[in-house]
Amino acid sequence: MTSENTPSAKPSAGSRFFTLAGLMLLFAALTFGVVALLMSIYERKQEARVPFVRVVEVDEVTTDPAPWGLNWPDEYDSYLLTVDSEESEYGGSEAMTASKLEEHPWLKRLYAGYAFSLDYREARGHAYMLADQEVTKRVTERKQAGACLHCHASIIPTYRRLGLEEQGEKDITAETLAANFNWPAVMAGFKKMSTMPYKDAHAELEKTPDGTPDTKGNAHPVSCIDCHDPSTMQVRVTRPGFVNGIAALAKSDDPVPHLPSIHRWRQGKRERDYDPNQDASRQEMRTFVCAQCHVEYYCANKETLFFPWGGGLKVEEIEKTYEDHKFPDGTAFYDYKHGETGALIYKAQHPEFELWSQGIHARSGVSCADCHMPYERKGAMKVSSHNVRSPMLSLNRSCQQCHNVNEQELKNRVEMIQARTNALVERAAMAMTDMLDAIRDAKAAGATEEQLSPILELQRKGMWRLDFISSENSKGFHAGQESARILGESIDYCRQAEAMALKLRAPEAPKSTEEVDEVKGITPDDKAPK
């Protein structure tokens, strides 16, 4: 038996060697890991310090996005994803390309007498915005204005070239066009193209150099140059329609608490017009670059394209602006004459900015880009995705940065708001079609123009409000309560018009002879039901 005082056996030389070797390997691994971590941190800091490498020069004529992609490959790669047609039930810039007219037949009656009754489809991504416009029946089978290219094409160098020609410039070269932005020339070209036929305007677009070695220009959809300064990459506004419109809004009395720079301008000396490129904050500009196009505007060839914001951004304020507006020839403003009733109708475009302005996200300082172009991590850099699409396709990056709620709950909230809005749209559409039937019957019964005049006025009001929400691409989400209010008014105006029309076609009702008891609030015992 071994005694407790017996000394333990000493480790052998081999055992000590392996222990020492293991410690050395562990130390080497730790050292390697620390060094790798430090190198990675250093590399990421260098990446963050130099966010891009300018390998090619881009300038004020580079409408082709490909050269920009050589300098800013991460943003360009995500921009190219806008060619994908991801199906989404949530609106935004990615949606099915099915015909809206087939899905909602009442739209044909809403737009009777207007080109939208021929062809009206869901919007696709930015990469398609010019190509889709070129093939729609609204353009191929009806005459349209060159003003449509204000938003569907990378148009500014063409405006500048036409403006320089108007100013008497000769032999305009790519170098001349690339020298500077030249707002006076851009404005002059914008006015000239607004009244051109679409075909002629498109031909002018193809005459303009696009910044590629090929001397002949190519037409491009909206691209990098439309939102970024090519020298500094600063976000900027380039569309004359928006610049004029936002200046008119600033001069109005419409409260715009979601646009603090306009409030500051109003409190200042007002020595010049409000200019978003000088006065707006960077966060506001992340909305304004989208609001250049995702808005309501007049877009036909009777006069220069304009944004109707002189009285404010609400649906009734825009309506009042149109009611007070006259065409250059002195006639009353309208978009089209309704094909069934002859009423003069206003056509809503896609008033996303106006409706967003009435919603909680605008009041909370959330920009369009925060949701539709969320930030994503690229190495050490934080890059805004240029795959502009519905936030429901990127809930984590678009919504959960602010909302500490699980994705399914967020999705359910959106679906509830949009389902309620869609239900109200369908009710308003039913009221509209009933109204149109009643007006047609009244006309068939011999109603005079004088009798129909107030009815057609109600028709315009009801259809304008229905169109305002049904044409807006968030399906009511940008401002759910405001959407419900507008649709409620649409239903009310249409039903009023229907009731008045029914009276015109029906014989006058005889006077009621039924006795009416005096209302006292308490039913007398002798008249109480047995």
Side-chain angles (χ1 to χ4, degrees), residues 416-430 487 491:
M416 178 183 66
I417 293 170
Q418 294 186 328
R420 289 175 175 176
T421 304
N422 285 336
L424 278 174
V425 165
E426 292 300 322
R427 286 186 176 222
M430 183 177 294
L487 289 170
I491 295 169

Side-chain angles (χ1 to χ4, degrees), residues 229-489:
D229 186 309
S231 299
T232 65
M233 284 303 291
Q234 183 175 349
V235 177
R236 68 178 182 180
V237 166
T238 59
R239 291 300 186 271
F242 179 84
V243 170
N244 293 337
I246 201 73
L249 175 64
K251 293 175 184 177
S252 77
D253 296 326
D254 186 30
V256 284
H258 62 299
L259 303 176
S261 65
I262 289 182
H263 177 73
R264 289 194 297 271
W265 180 86
R266 288 172 174 173
Q267 300 303 310
K269 296 181 179 179
R270 303 194 183 194
E271 295 175 339
R272 56 168 176 79
D273 285 351
Y274 174 84
D275 183 348
N277 289 314
Q278 296 184 49
D279 301 318
S281 67
R282 184 175 183 277
Q283 183 67 357
E284 287 174 307
M285 291 296 284
R286 284 166 57 81
T287 286
F288 286 170
V289 291
C290 304
Q292 296 183 96
C293 296
H294 290 268
V295 290
E296 161 59 14
Y297 50 85
Y298 169 75
C299 180
N301 55 13
K302 283 192 174 182
E303 65 176 297
T304 302
L305 178 150
F306 68 91
F307 291 18
W309 295 346
L313 295 172
K314 298 182 182 68
V315 64
E316 61 271 20
E317 292 166 343
I318 295 172
E319 181 181 48
K320 182 66 165 56
T321 296
Y322 284 152
E323 288 173 346
D324 295 341
H325 187 74
K326 302 291 184 184
F327 283 123
D329 63 4
T331 58
F333 174 87
Y334 67 97
D335 281 296
Y336 67 102
K337 187 174 182 179
H338 195 259
E340 294 187 22
T341 68
L344 302 183
I345 303 298
Y346 304 152
K347 170 70 183 78
Q349 304 303 325
H350 26 64
E352 282 85 57
F353 174 69
E354 291 88 346
L355 193 63
W356 166 86
S357 293
Q358 314 309 319
I360 185 62
H361 288 93
R363 295 196 298 274
S364 300
V366 179
S367 74
C368 302
D370 289 329
C371 303
H372 295 277
M373 301 174 65
Y375 286 112
E376 54 189 4
R377 179 65 63 182
K378 296 289 185 180
M381 295 184 294
K382 186 176 73 170
V383 177
S384 181
S385 171
H386 283 60
N387 182 16
V388 186
R389 58 182 185 166
S390 167
M392 292 297 97
L393 301 173
S394 54
L395 277 165
N396 176 262
R397 291 182 287 112
S398 294
C399 306
Q400 289 182 312
Q401 303 302 310
C402 297
H403 297 282
N404 187 22
V405 182
N406 68 66
E407 288 194 4
Q408 189 59 48
E409 171 62 19
L410 289 170
K411 182 180 177 182
N412 291 343
R413 289 184 188 181
V414 174
E415 289 178 341
M416 178 183 66
I417 293 170
Q418 294 186 328
R420 289 175 175 176
T421 304
N422 285 336
L424 278 174
V425 165
E426 292 300 322
R427 286 186 176 222
M430 183 177 294
M432 179 204 69
T433 55
D434 289 346
M435 170 191 67
L436 293 178
D437 289 340
I439 294 174
R440 287 167 60 90
D441 289 345
K443 293 180 73 173
T448 65
E449 289 188 11
E450 184 179 0
Q451 290 174 316
L452 288 170
S453 179
I455 298 174
L456 299 185
E457 180 73 9
L458 290 169
Q459 177 192 345
R460 179 186 58 72
K461 287 180 173 293
M463 291 176 64
W464 160 247
R465 284 159 176 77
L466 170 58
D467 194 21
F468 197 90
I469 299 302
S470 65
S471 295
E472 200 273 337
N473 282 305
S474 77
K475 299 182 180 179
F477 179 76
H478 283 152
Q481 287 183 313
E482 179 71 356
S483 298
R485 179 186 76 86
I486 293 170
L487 289 170
E489 289 188 357

